[in-house]
Amino acid sequence: MQDRSFVSHHICSRTGEKLPAGEVQNLSPAGAPILVQYDLDAVRSAMTREKLTGRDLNFWRYRELLPVSDPANIVSLGEQFTPLVPLAGSLGGQVMVKDESRLPTGSFKARGLGMAVSMAKELGLKKLAIPTNGNAGAALSAYASRAGMEAFVFCPDDTPDVNVKETALQGAHVWRVNGLINDCGHIVGEGEKEMGWFNVATLKEPYRVEGKKTMGIELAEQLGWQVPDLIFYPTGGGTGLIGMWKAFDELEAIGFIGPERPRMVAVQSEGCAPIVRAWKAGKEEAEIWENASTAAAGIRVPVALGDFLILRALKESGGFAIAVDDDAIMAAQQQVGREEGLLLCPEGAATVAGYQAALDQGLISKSDRAVLFNCGNGLKYPMPPAAASLDRHQPIDWGAIASTS
Ligand SMILES: *Cc1c(COP(=O)(O)O)cnc(C)c1O
């Protein structure tokens, strides 16, 4: 592995201001997310398709497009390629689910936090803090413990119980807060001075997005260095959508793909749809969504720092934003479970509902090749009650059993 990175510099995502790489950074001087830039000409000759063959099938194989300089700083929990599972059944169209639930800690947050913690190690940080709806806290906890760092996690008090407990079991200090993720974010921000921790909130440091962008690279590689027609992404802070959009430009610059791009679709819940509202109003930024509420915890994000980057990617890609209600999300979860044998998380199910709604509204066609993101493990969430009980000491009513099938 190279003992240097191909990072050339950083930029402010709002003003384009050039910023140095290799320093501990949160937001840019303009208060916007910082994006990592690479010497793509150098990457072009260093990372050929041939060189990729033989490397392990996980996101670290794209090392030339990643910020870590010294491979010794990579903090790993056994990441792997996540499968593209075709949905054969009633959805009709050409649909594949990229099942990110197979990653360490059971969600795609492993990509972003694996990268952020590795870079924290490279930069000598020891204490990290995060606001989370559950999965980011669990991933931070795991990777920080792996790296020998301390992690502080703040989540809304109704965060799925499994998330809170897995976070604690993996070593972080975790608190339930009587508020939403943005309220937790304020606490993490306030604690920076008092506690001396580094804030790894969504888009508040440059590296989670670099980890998340590997979804786009991996997807393109799995499709034979092609992009699908559509990507449905359950959008909270939007790191993955922003990251993939960035990845496609980098892939084009190094000659791995051409100018073609997927239409990017942001899916949100009707109970918290700031990006959809802004999209429909033709705005470039989103206003805070009051009284946010949805069972899809991961996308209950009332305000996104990268709102303008999400909206820009939707526009540039010819995509759109679409909202689905929680009933449709739960119905989609049940349908895909029953008909396809795939247990989606509610956020993943939202992309199925969003796909169906987009078809109904004539926004897409059945012949489009669509990739839907299942970003977390369905087992982490409360599930509908199931299973009747049988008294084995009584005669069994086989008729009743037959009628349930
Ligand atoms: C974090 C998360 C999301 C939202 O991802 P962003 O990239 O922050 O928009 C969606 N679903 C699940 C399960 C998540 O954990």
Side-chain angles (χ1 to χ4, degrees):
M1 182 175 266
Q2 85 261 0
D3 54 3
R4 65 173 185 99
S5 79
F6 288 80
V7 174
S8 54
H9 62 285
H10 290 179
I11 57 165
C12 167
S13 60
R14 191 179 289 281
T15 64
E17 182 190 354
K18 223 171 149 172
L19 300 164
E23 292 178 4
V24 176
Q25 284 163 333
N26 284 117
L27 295 179
S28 73
I34 291 177
L35 297 173
V36 179
Q37 306 295 300
Y38 297 84
D39 178 351
L40 292 168
D41 284 335
V43 173
R44 195 185 175 102
S45 37
M47 190 174 111
T48 58
R49 292 186 196 190
E50 297 73 59
K51 283 205 181 135
L52 282 182
T53 40
R55 292 186 185 175
D56 289 347
L57 288 179
N58 62 52
F59 61 75
W60 300 109
R61 73 201 254 100
Y62 309 120
R63 62 186 70 137
E64 290 86 352
L65 283 176
L66 298 176
V68 179
S69 301
D70 181 351
N73 291 324
I74 289 177
V75 183
S76 171
L77 283 163
E79 299 73 24
Q80 56 180 313
F81 261 33
T82 62
L84 281 170
V85 184
L87 291 190
S90 59
L91 280 181
Q94 294 195 63
V95 184
M96 286 175 288
V97 171
K98 183 133 175 82
D99 191 5
E100 295 279 298
S101 72
R102 324 280 177 110
L103 286 163
T105 71
S107 85
F108 63 7
K109 291 295 193 299
R111 295 182 189 264
L113 274 313
M115 197 64 61
V117 170
S118 298
M119 287 306 294
K121 185 171 171 189
E122 189 149 288
L123 295 168
L125 298 167
K126 296 267 184 287
K127 216 194 250 191
L128 310 176
I130 199 167
T132 179
N133 279 325
N135 288 320
L140 174 66
S141 179
Y143 281 95
S145 291
R146 189 85 178 163
M149 293 175 201
E150 210 176 355
F152 296 82
V153 174
F154 300 85
C155 60
D157 50 10
D158 58 352
T159 297
D161 204 44
V162 171
N163 286 139
V164 183
K165 289 176 173 161
E166 64 174 327
T167 300
L169 262 180
Q170 287 164 163
H173 313 288
V174 55
W175 282 270
R176 293 179 186 268
V177 177
N178 54 347
L180 294 175
I181 189 169
N182 45 321
D183 303 307
C184 298
H186 289 309
I187 295 174
V188 171
E190 276 179 38
E192 283 174 34
K193 261 218 175 83
E194 198 72 36
M195 299 292 299
W197 59 43
F198 181 70
N199 187 343
V200 288
T202 296
L203 291 168
K204 286 213 170 132
E205 54 74 56
Y207 304 116
R208 281 176 66 182
V209 74
E210 292 303 296
K212 279 278 198 83
K213 88 179 179 189
T214 63
M215 292 189 291
I217 310 178
E218 188 175 303
L219 175 61
E221 181 167 20
Q222 284 172 310
L223 296 175
W225 297 114
Q226 289 185 350
V227 295
D229 299 315
L230 291 163
I231 288 180
F232 281 76
Y233 189 79
T235 306
T239 332
L241 196 150
I242 295 165
M244 284 192 277
W245 192 242
K246 178 175 189 282
F248 297 138
D249 283 349
E250 291 170 357
L251 287 177
E252 184 181 356
I254 65 167
F256 276 40
I257 64 171
E260 63 285 353
R261 292 291 183 277
R263 299 172 70 197
M264 305 297 288
V265 182
V267 181
Q268 297 196 304
S269 163
E270 277 177 8
C272 182
I275 298 297
V276 179
R277 184 171 62 189
W279 173 256
K280 290 199 168 146
K283 298 221 170 106
E284 288 177 9
E285 291 180 9
E287 277 161 37
I288 186 166
W289 188 275
E290 302 294 345
N291 303 316
S293 152
T294 168
I299 53 176
R300 193 177 61 173
V301 179
V303 52
L305 194 59
D307 54 355
F308 65 106
L309 297 171
I310 301 169
L311 290 160
R312 195 184 292 164
L314 300 182
K315 195 168 177 182
E316 286 176 5
S317 73
F320 53 93
I322 194 163
V324 291
D325 66 28
D326 275 22
D327 288 345
I329 292 176
M330 292 309 158
Q333 189 188 35
Q334 293 214 5
Q335 184 189 340
V336 174
R338 221 174 33 233
E339 294 177 9
E340 310 272 354
L342 192 62
L343 178 61
L344 303 175
C345 61
E347 300 83 355
T351 66
V352 174
Y355 175 84
Q356 281 167 329
L359 266 185
D360 292 346
Q361 293 170 30
L363 295 166
I364 59 170
S365 127
K366 272 199 169 168
S367 60
D368 292 334
R369 186 151 71 153
V371 171
L372 318 184
F373 273 86
N374 183 49
C375 25
N377 194 319
L379 295 173
K380 292 188 179 199
Y381 298 76
M383 284 178 265
S389 32
L390 270 187
D391 182 353
R392 67 190 175 90
H393 300 299
Q394 298 298 320
I396 293 185
D397 181 351
W398 295 110
I401 288 177
S403 70
T404 58
S405 54

